[in-house]
Amino acid sequence: MDFVKETAPHLQRKDNLKWMLLNVIIALAPVFVWSFVVYPIPSLQIYPLSIATCLLCEFLFILITKKKASEFKIENILSSLITAIIYAMCLPTDIGFASGTGYFAVVAGAAIGIVLGKLVFGGLGNNIFNPAALGMLVVRVGWGGISGFASSPFITTGGSAIANGAVYSNIANANFLDLLLGNVQGSLGETFHIAILVGLVYLLVTRTIDWRVVVSYAGTFLVLMLAAGIVVSTKIALNPAMFLAYQVLSGGFLFGLVYMITDPVTSPAGSPARFVYGAFGAAIAVMIRLFMGTEGVGFSILFANIIACVLDYPGWASARWKKWHIIALPCIVVLSLVAVVLVLLFKEGAIA
């Protein structure tokens, strides 16, 4: 018997990695075009810097490790292009170009994201972290105070409508149609949800992403946020459905669900583990949003990436459901649900 060693993503399909990467780019196209229509100047500033930085880092990595420029193949280009575009779409449009800080922030975030999130692990197919999410969080933490991540009032914050935390009593004043159509100030590609949903349908139809991660992440998020909305409605005059709709249409939930948490390289290999993976990521996102008053999707993706390695441990990994899968999945949801309800009910200042 011959054993073949392959790196992620492990494809059980007729097409190849190149076509899989092209499918992601096609799915990003509606959001990409929309961002240029609505934010032409920021798009012309952010996208080229991000793309050039990621491609240069990838090319230098190939030269250093392979010693041949010819090893810089189409897959390397496409992979770096996807990272650069997703990273750019997570950045606020008012990141600080007027002061000159924005240029450095974009380049630094892209370089750190792709180098520390991907290349140090061996490059394409070997990374354990989503490089776009890592780069975005580096910019947010390092330059958040002087960029659009921490500016503007509720509903129209530079990062997104959830970036400064939710003042729940103000949710009733939100324009949900504007949130759906992206008619709010926000990140370059996270706000036009119709384009994002078009990308989701395409990725699912082409089987580029696994529906299990989508269902588990979205389902857990919806359950926990609905429970939170019910608790909030007992203390202030707010419809739970309105609370849930706001949480779905604000921030980077849909964008992270479609283009980031579903990354097959950083997801577990086994089908049951992907349900656990998605549920865990969603629980982290909900608790960061509700308990820390800030966007939690980016952090949730990195935390989920960390446990993916654990879920793929040879002694536990399986293509079939095992007892620990059946126990772990409801435990994550139930324990998170209990935490959300207790904190919102009893922590002073948790509901404003």
Side-chain angles (χ1 to χ4, degrees), residues 129 212-213 215-221 224 261 266 268 272-288 296-311 324 328-336:
F129 292 112
R212 298 168 184 83
V213 178
V215 169
S216 59
Y217 190 88
T220 304
F221 185 91
L224 295 180
I261 193 70
T266 54
R274 292 189 175 184
F275 281 105
V276 178
Y277 171 79
F280 178 82
I284 295 295
V286 169
M287 287 189 282
I288 291 177
V297 173
F299 290 103
S300 77
I301 291 166
L302 294 188
F303 277 109
N305 292 163
I306 292 173
I307 71 155
C309 302
V310 178
L311 296 175
W324 81 267
L329 184 57
C331 280
I332 290 172
V333 177
V334 171
L335 292 176
S336 301

Side-chain angles (χ1 to χ4, degrees), residues 159-247:
S160 61
I162 202 71
N164 287 344
V167 181
Y168 302 138
S169 57
N170 289 344
I171 290 179
N173 300 322
N175 188 318
F176 290 95
L177 181 60
D178 282 346
L179 287 173
L180 175 66
L181 299 178
N183 294 328
V184 293
Q185 182 69 22
S187 298
L188 196 59
E190 288 182 349
T191 57
F192 188 34
H193 297 98
I194 293 178
I196 295 172
L197 292 174
V198 170
L200 173 61
V201 172
Y202 180 82
L203 291 173
L204 288 173
V205 169
T206 58
R207 297 178 57 203
T208 304
I209 61 176
D210 193 328
W211 64 270
R212 298 168 184 83
V213 178
V214 175
V215 169
S216 59
Y217 190 88
T220 304
F221 185 91
L222 293 175
V223 168
L224 295 180
M225 282 302 185
L226 179 58
I230 293 172
V231 175
V232 169
S233 69
T234 64
K235 296 194 174 185
I236 62 176
L238 181 64
N239 189 316
M242 187 176 292
F243 178 92
L244 177 61
Y246 182 82
Q247 295 294 342

